[in-house]
Structures are given as C-alpha cells and as structure tokens.
Amino acid sequence: MRLQCEVEVLSRLLPTCGLRGRGRAARALVSLGRPPGAAGAGIYLMVCTARDRGGARYKVQQNVERLFTRFVEEGKATVRLREPAVDLCLSKANVINLKTFLSAVRLAHQGNDTGVLPLSPLVPAKNSDVEKPKTKMIITSRRDYPLTKSFPFSLEHLQTSYCKLARVDSRVLCLRKLRKLDLSHNHIKQLPATLGDLVCLQELDLHDNHLEAFSGALCSSGLQKSLQLLDLSQNQIQALPLEFCQLRGLVQLRLDDNALLRLPCRIGQLSRLRFLSAARNKLPFLPSDFRKLSLENLDLFGNPFEQPNPLVPNIQLKIPLTLLECAARATVNHRIPYGCHLLPSHLCKDLEVAKTCRCGSACLSSFIQITVTMNLHHVAHTVVLVDNMGGTEAPVLCYFCSLHCYSQFLDRHLQSS
C-alpha cells in the first residue's frame, strides 16, 4: 500500500514542552510495509525523497504516539512517532487513499491483524516515483498566470512579467526560499512592507512598472543583508528614502528612466556597490558622498547636470552658531552615541544626514554649499559618457563649515585656474 504525497520531516525538540523544530518540505513517496525477504519482520514506514531514494525507515508497531486527522478531508494528516521523535506531515494526498493509509498505520501500530494488510515490499523509489521540488517558474503572460492554485513553496526563482499585475501577489510573499524575483513589465504602483520578509531574496527586478516610491520600511527589513541586485528602472520615482543606504549588500543598482531629482545623500555607505546606472533622470548634481563609491561601471547619461560655479556659493551660515548647531557638530565630530531613547527622532534623522566639510568637520544646518566638477573616473573604472559631447565629468556638492574653510578652498581653486 503506497501513498504519494508531500512530506515534511520535523525534528522534535523539548518534548516535555511540546515544541517542534521545523524542517524543509520535500516531495516524497511514503510506503508502509515489511523489508523484502524478511519474513516475520516488523512493519515500517519508509519515506523516499528525490535526494534519498533509498528511503528512511521508521518502525510502526507500538511506535505511533498520535495521528492528527483533523484535516484529513483536505488531504492532510500527521503521523507522530515516538522513536525517533519525528512528525511526518502529509499533504496534497488523495483523500480516500489517505484514509486507507492511516487505517493501515493504526492497525500496524496496534499489532492486530497485520497479516491481512495488503502491504507491499519496502523497495527504493524509482526516479519517476519521486518528483523533485520545483525551484524555478517563469510566467510571461496574463493567460498563464495561476489564479486558483498556489505557487510551489520550494521556488527559488520566480518571474511573472507582462501579467498586468497591479500589486504584488500575497501568495508570492509566502515563498520564503525565493532568491530571485522578477516582477518587471507590470502595473505595480506600491510595494508591500512584507516584501522585506523574503530574507533570502538576492535579486529583485521591478523595472517597467508604475512605482512612485521605494519604501523606507523595505530598506530596514531583512533585505539589508540579502539583496544584491535591485532594478527600479522605467518607473516614476522622484526620490529614494534616507534609509535606502541601509541596503549594504547591494552590488548592482539600476535607476534608469525615472524622475529622480537627487540620489541618496549617504550613497557612499553602499560600499559593495559595483554597478550603478541612473541614466535619463532629472539629476542636477551628485551628493558629496558620491566620492566614496568604488564602482566598476557607471552610467549617468542624459541627466540635466548644472554647470558648476564655485564662485557662486549658497551661503546658509548662521553667525554666531546656534546652540543646536554646536551640539550637533560636537555629537558627530566626537562620535558621541545617540538614539531615539535619548533624542527626539527628528534630531536623530538630522544627525544621520549631517554634512561633512572639506576639513573633515560636520555641519548640520549652518554651512556654505557649492558644486564642483568631478571626473567620474575617480569613482568608476568604466564610465558611460555623461552627454553627447563625450564628457565624463559631473557636478558634485561640496560643503564648508565656515567662511575660513571656504576661503581656503577658494584660494586653491583660483591658483589652480
């Protein structure tokens, strides 16, 4: 007697407390019978998977602690064994076959009338008997999109492009093994915060959608460590949140064909970033932190960069400095610990985006700002031309904490000119 179903083997931890440690689900073949050629041998359950076609054997007689059959009408049941302490969770089974199987297990456990059970020999499963877990699914049309059945939980790569999706399917958010998710060429306007629960996600492709923002909550989620590739090109994003630079694992970032007015001010914190593309946006200049990047490839073509003019500064100095400015500068310069438990949250955010003067000192709301020219080869090995004139230079913001620092810079600039 055999039943083919999906099996999840759960290691039992701290049985006195009734806790269970969850394992990995696998498509398997479950058999109930006696070892071949062993007359009078006990009855065993054998679980064969794609990785172990020889099967794992579990004694049945006087070894079944409990049968859970509440959802048997849905093709689900659990066989709890005493030794070894495992739960065999059966799902997606034919209801009639499952009931017959459980009745046979109950009789085998009691040791009554086992001779009349039509048991088959326990032999290793064939390749055709055990189905490997599906790890990749590609859907490229609305017609092929599954509306009534769920996605396989074993998926590691899912592509659902050209499906006219207006939102991220909640069923996708349950695929905790996903490493690559491609939702390109849809009509998605907003991303759910629960997308950050996909802690294994390494590649996220959202290009050619209707996104207007990228949530700061996603940047503070498990994606901080896992996400390596992010494609937000061909959307309607005007700005990225301050928290965006918490995605420290990013290696490749595509922001082409949006409406970006600025890049994140702390973009230099993306120390692993190697490929950056932000072509055809509305960037007038680059943040000062851009100098800290170390890229292999950079594309900023088609942005309306302003012409730098160090002689026309934007002066925001407050003389004398306010007490708030003095305290803020001291906190950043001396690396004094702070947090929302000590300071109001808006002050913490201000400190996190403090400007850095050429002298290395910090400034908050009292500063002199100019734009200077930077050759993009200083931060990238390969640079796509900024314009049709063959240029590889772009304006970058520069800050000064005092008139003294600005005048020193100006003297050097005029001498070099």
Side-chain angles (χ1 to χ4, degrees):
M1 180 179 298
R2 285 191 174 184
L3 175 67
Q4 187 168 341
C5 55
E6 187 172 301
V7 175
E8 187 177 359
V9 180
L10 311 180
S11 301
R12 188 181 305 178
L13 303 176
L14 302 177
T16 55
C17 298
L19 300 180
R20 297 291 182 270
R22 296 193 63 80
R24 296 183 64 184
R27 189 71 175 175
L29 187 72
V30 182
S31 305
L32 179 68
R34 295 184 176 89
I43 299 176
Y44 290 83
L45 277 169
M46 185 165 74
V47 181
C48 299
T49 65
R51 295 183 179 180
D52 182 15
R53 293 191 178 90
R57 295 182 183 179
Y58 303 97
K59 185 179 178 181
V60 177
Q61 191 168 0
Q62 303 301 317
N63 194 36
V64 177
E65 181 177 324
R66 188 175 176 185
L67 295 177
F68 296 87
T69 59
R70 180 177 178 181
F71 300 103
V72 70
E73 296 296 339
E74 299 177 16
K76 302 176 183 178
T78 297
V79 180
R80 175 167 294 174
L81 301 179
R82 292 194 177 96
E83 186 63 37
V86 297
D87 288 353
L88 301 180
C89 301
L90 314 178
S91 65
K92 300 182 181 180
N94 178 278
V95 175
I96 296 176
N97 289 345
L98 180 57
K99 290 180 177 179
T100 305
F101 178 82
L102 293 174
S103 297
V105 169
R106 188 177 287 107
L107 288 174
H109 163 67
Q110 296 170 352
N112 299 328
D113 302 324
T114 55
V116 301
L117 292 176
L119 302 178
S120 59
L122 294 177
V123 295
K126 301 177 182 178
N127 289 348
S128 57
D129 290 335
V130 184
E131 180 182 311
K132 289 185 178 181
K134 192 168 186 177
T135 59
K136 185 176 181 179
M137 178 180 288
I138 297 178
I139 305 167
T140 55
S141 71
R142 180 73 173 179
R143 181 182 65 256
D144 299 329
Y145 194 83
L147 298 176
T148 57
K149 62 179 183 179
S150 60
F151 295 98
F153 286 103
S154 54
L155 283 182
E156 297 180 9
H157 177 187
L158 174 62
Q159 177 180 347
T160 56
S161 303
Y162 302 99
C163 295
K164 301 181 180 179
L165 300 178
R167 62 182 63 87
V168 180
D169 195 328
S170 59
R171 294 173 297 170
V172 172
L173 304 175
C174 299
L175 306 177
R176 299 305 172 88
K177 297 180 182 179
L178 271 185
R179 297 182 180 274
K180 183 176 181 179
L181 177 58
D182 186 344
L183 299 170
S184 59
H185 305 290
N186 283 295
H187 301 160
I188 299 172
K189 294 183 178 181
Q190 190 174 4
L191 299 174
T194 47
L195 187 64
D197 294 337
L198 302 178
V199 293
C200 294
L201 195 62
Q202 297 177 353
E203 300 183 21
L204 178 59
D205 191 342
L206 294 162
H207 86 270
D208 191 18
N209 275 282
H210 298 166
L211 293 173
E212 296 181 356
F214 190 83
S215 167
L218 289 178
C219 305
S220 305
S221 68
L223 299 181
Q224 284 184 348
K225 296 181 179 180
S226 66
L227 197 61
Q228 299 177 16
L229 183 151
L230 177 61
D231 191 341
L232 296 172
S233 56
Q234 297 182 44
N235 279 281
Q236 302 164 21
I237 301 173
Q238 294 187 7
L240 294 171
L242 173 63
E243 298 85 354
F244 188 84
C245 296
Q246 294 179 15
L247 298 174
R248 304 291 178 85
L250 277 181
V251 176
Q252 184 170 345
L253 175 61
R254 295 185 61 88
L255 301 168
D256 309 290
D257 299 291
N258 276 281
L260 285 171
L261 298 172
R262 64 180 185 273
L263 292 177
C265 61
R266 291 300 187 192
I267 195 170
Q269 293 178 352
L270 301 179
S271 58
R272 297 185 60 188
L273 193 64
R274 295 295 177 265
F275 302 87
L276 172 61
S277 181
R280 296 173 296 279
N281 278 279
K282 298 180 180 180
L283 299 174
F285 43 73
L286 302 175
S288 59
D289 221 39
F290 200 87
R291 299 174 180 272
K292 298 180 182 179
L293 293 176
S294 180
L295 306 171
E296 294 180 16
N297 191 285
L298 173 63
D299 184 1
L300 296 174
F301 179 81
N303 281 285
F305 287 126
E306 296 178 354
Q307 188 65 31
N309 189 351
L311 301 179
V312 184
N314 175 16
I315 301 177
Q316 300 291 330
L317 279 178
K318 299 179 179 65
I319 300 175
L321 295 178
T322 64
L323 180 61
L324 176 62
E325 181 73 19
C326 292
R329 290 187 179 191
T331 300
V332 177
N333 291 336
H334 298 290
R335 299 181 181 181
I336 300 173
Y338 63 88
C340 293
H341 62 293
L342 298 173
L343 299 174
S345 58
H346 70 279
L347 289 180
C348 292
K349 290 182 178 180
D350 289 343
L351 290 171
E352 290 171 2
V353 296
K355 288 84 175 170
T356 303
C357 176
R358 281 290 184 99
C359 71
S361 298
C363 45
L364 200 69
S365 58
S366 180
F367 55 84
I368 297 176
Q369 174 188 295
I370 62 172
T371 53
V372 295
T373 299
M374 180 181 70
N375 192 320
L376 297 177
H377 282 292
H378 290 162
V379 296
H381 180 269
T382 302
V383 177
V384 176
L385 300 180
V386 173
D387 50 41
N388 293 323
M389 304 301 292
T392 59
E393 296 182 338
V396 60
L397 287 178
C398 188
Y399 296 95
F400 302 95
C401 64
S402 64
L403 284 171
H404 175 71
C405 287
Y406 175 61
S407 61
Q408 283 188 327
F409 164 81
L410 205 55
D411 289 342
R412 290 192 298 268
H413 174 75
L414 294 175
Q415 289 175 6
S416 63
S417 300

